[in-house]
C-alpha cells in the first residue's frame, strides 16, 4: 500500500511528466545525432560513387551525380524530408574533403 501512495504522490506533483519530458528530449537529440551521422555516411558513399561513375567529368558533373545518388539514398531511408538541399550539399563537401584526406579523391 505504501508504494501505491508514493506513486500517487509523485504523479500528483508532476514528476512523471518531468521525467517523461527529459527522456523525450534525450531520445530526440540522440535520434537526430544518429541521422546526422547517417547522412555523413551516405555523403561519403555518394562521393565515392561519383568518383567511380563520373571520374573523368567536371567537378560540377560529379557533384550532380553525388547529389542524385544521396537523394536516392535519403529517399529510400525516408530521411529526405529532414535535410535541406544546402545541408546535403555541405555534407557532400565534407565527404569530399574526407575522401581527399584518405587519398581517394582528386
Amino acid at each position: 500500500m505504501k508504494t501505491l501512495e508514493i506513486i500517487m504522490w509523485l504523479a500528483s506533483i508532476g514528476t512523471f511528466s518531468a521525467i517523461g519530458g527529459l527522456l523525450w528530449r534525450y531520445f530526440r537529440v540522440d535520434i537526430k545525432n544518429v541521422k546526422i551521422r547517417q547522412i555523413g555516411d551516405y555523403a561519403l558513399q555518394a562521393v565515392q560513387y561519383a568518383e567511380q561513375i563520373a571520374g573523368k567529368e567536371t567537378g560540377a558533373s560529379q557533384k550532380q551525380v553525388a547529389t542524385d545518388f544521396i537523394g536516392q539514398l535519403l529517399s529510400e531511408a525516408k530521411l529526405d524530408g529532414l535535410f535541406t538541399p544546402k545541408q546535403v550539399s555541405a555534407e557532400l563537401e565534407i565527404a569530399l574533403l574526407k575522401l581527399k584526406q584518405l587519398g581517394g579523391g582528386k
Side-chain angles (χ1 to χ4, degrees):
M1 191 66 166
K2 190 77 169 163
T3 305
L4 183 59
E5 290 174 6
I6 292 172
I7 291 173
M8 294 302 291
W9 178 73
L10 289 172
S12 70
I13 61 171
T15 304
F16 291 125
S17 63
I19 292 171
L22 290 174
L23 287 174
W24 171 248
R25 284 190 198 110
Y26 170 76
F27 285 117
R28 202 168 113 204
V29 168
D30 187 53
I31 289 169
K32 188 173 184 178
N33 289 338
V34 167
K35 291 180 193 262
I36 289 171
R37 282 192 304 271
Q38 193 169 9
I39 191 176
D41 293 342
Y42 285 167
L44 191 56
Q45 289 176 21
V47 169
Q48 289 172 329
Y49 176 77
E51 285 285 327
Q52 292 173 353
I53 299 300
K56 295 186 178 18
E57 301 291 325
T58 65
S61 297
Q62 288 180 356
K63 186 168 184 176
Q64 187 59 49
V65 169
T67 301
D68 293 343
F69 186 74
I70 196 170
Q72 180 184 356
L73 289 174
L74 290 172
S75 178
E76 288 173 0
K78 301 203 183 338
L79 297 174
D80 51 339
L82 298 177
F83 302 100
T84 66
K86 285 184 179 182
Q87 289 172 318
V88 171
S89 180
E91 285 294 330
L92 287 172
E93 294 295 329
I94 291 168
L96 181 60
L97 291 174
K98 285 180 183 177
L99 188 63
K100 285 181 180 181
Q101 285 178 344
L102 295 172
K106 291 182 178 179

